Amino acid sequence: MIGAIIALIGSIFLLLGALGLLRMPDVYNRMQAGTKSTTLGSMLFLIGAALYISKGQIWSRVILLILFIVFTNPISSHALARAAHKIKIPMAEETVKDDLTEDE
Amino acid sequence: MKNFKHSIILFIILMVIWILLTSWETQELIAGLITSFLIAILTYRLEPVLAAINLTPKALLYSIAYIFVFAKELILSNLDVARRVLTPSLPLKPGIVKVNTKLKSKIGKLVLANSITLTPGTLTAEVKNGNLYIHWIDIKEEDVAGATQEIVAKFEKYLEVIFG
């Protein structure tokens, strides 16, 4: 029961991430919504699934999966953002400042 | 000496991953020991990035505390971004700010940049020298010192102790 609720909360975060992907104005902000909500979303989902099944070695597998998500997810989103900035994809109109372009 | 420390830490990490991945059986453990040992030896001459990790009890305590600090930030910022996405007017004030870090080691900077990227609302776009360029969804402080205080300080406090 608790596992199901936690998994549900995780999926809500994933849903909000998808919604953010549609609503955000430019590539950088979309990345914020799209790549980050997956961290907490999939973490909660995995923990929920582990609580639901809760036998054998499920916990060690879940810990390992969370570790791999935590280590790989930021690297891919950083690489995407950096590449987007390198090929000069324009930022949204609301953008307040851009220190990186100033320094280059 | 640095290479030796790097290899020891690498061996421990590989062994822990192996144990989590398989079960606690003699055969599995022996296979894991041999493989981890071989990898640790074969990568002995590579750059000793992991050697910057401090192995003192204080550093260990701080790394456990860091997990909780990070989890708290992760949940708070996730809720914040969720609130922004759900607000009809979409309240954003995005931009790239420059912050600087006191951390010297490569692995320290890596963990800092990853932590910043993992918390929604901030995304590391570039790391150059001691500076990090961060895309921030809602800019609260425009100058370097203010942004550093706002984004980096809470993580750096712990990372300074963990990584020399």
Side-chain angles (χ1 to χ4, degrees):
Chain A
M1 184 64 190
I2 301 166
I5 292 169
I6 291 177
L8 181 70
I9 297 171
S11 355
I12 290 172
F13 274 112
L14 290 172
L15 175 73
L16 288 173
L19 196 66
L21 208 59
L22 288 172
R23 293 203 65 200
M24 292 295 187
D26 68 352
V27 63
Y28 307 97
N29 289 309
R30 285 202 170 126
M31 219 170 283
Q32 298 269 16
T35 60
K36 273 27 139 9
S37 61
T38 50
T39 5
L40 191 63
S42 15
M43 265 185 204
L44 286 175
F45 192 85
L46 284 169
I47 292 172
L51 278 170
Y52 191 77
I53 299 168
S54 197
K55 66 176 177 202
Q57 297 172 319
I58 189 89
W59 280 105
S60 65
R61 304 293 198 281
V62 164
I63 290 169
L64 206 57
L65 278 170
I66 290 177
L67 268 180
F68 280 132
I69 290 174
V70 164
F71 279 110
T72 53
N73 183 334
I75 294 173
S76 61
S77 41
H78 159 73
L80 284 169
R82 187 164 177 272
H85 199 274
K86 283 262 147 121
I87 59 170
K88 301 193 170 56
I89 291 179
M91 301 180 86
E93 284 167 21
E94 297 98 323
T95 304
V96 187
K97 67 182 307 201
D98 185 355
D99 276 342
L100 186 51
T101 310
E102 277 171 33
D103 280 13
E104 269 171 356
Chain B
M1 192 58 215
K2 267 191 164 179
N3 284 69
F4 185 67
K5 192 178 170 190
H6 171 85
S7 290
I8 295 274
I9 295 175
L10 184 67
F11 176 75
I12 295 169
I13 292 172
L14 289 171
M15 209 52 219
V16 169
I17 290 177
W18 179 263
I19 290 168
L20 286 174
L21 198 61
T22 60
S23 51
W24 190 266
E25 280 169 37
T26 325
Q27 283 186 1
E28 307 262 29
L29 283 177
I30 290 168
L33 269 172
I34 294 168
T35 330
S36 308
F37 188 69
L38 273 178
I39 295 172
I41 292 223
L42 290 173
T43 55
Y44 187 79
R45 282 170 174 276
L46 296 186
E47 200 184 335
V49 268
L50 294 174
I53 300 174
N54 286 329
L55 292 176
T56 56
K58 195 187 175 200
L60 203 68
L61 220 65
Y62 268 64
S63 15
I64 294 166
Y66 185 72
I67 295 173
F68 288 101
V69 170
F70 178 69
K72 179 182 146 244
E73 284 300 323
L74 190 66
I75 291 166
L76 284 182
S77 54
N78 254 299
L79 290 174
D80 182 61
V81 172
R83 184 182 59 79
R84 273 171 217 285
V85 168
L86 287 176
T87 315
S89 61
L90 205 64
L92 292 177
K93 200 182 164 197
I96 295 182
V97 291
K98 179 176 162 181
V99 298
N100 46 47
T101 171
K102 284 174 274 178
L103 298 171
K104 292 278 178 292
S105 59
K106 279 184 179 172
I107 183 127
K109 279 183 199 165
L110 173 80
V111 173
L112 178 68
N114 275 4
S115 303
I116 289 170
T117 308
L118 268 172
T119 47
T122 49
L123 190 153
T124 315
E126 177 74 286
V127 182
K128 219 181 264 177
N129 307 325
N131 297 322
L132 280 81
Y133 296 86
I134 290 164
H135 182 268
W136 201 355
I137 210 163
D138 174 45
I139 293 186
K140 295 194 189 86
E141 303 275 351
E142 294 212 4
D143 60 314
V144 176
T148 306
Q149 189 61 33
E150 191 77 19
I151 302 175
V152 179
K154 58 196 172 200
F155 296 130
E156 205 173 45
K157 202 167 55 183
Y158 293 88
L159 294 177
E160 259 181 337
V161 181
I162 302 168
F163 305 104

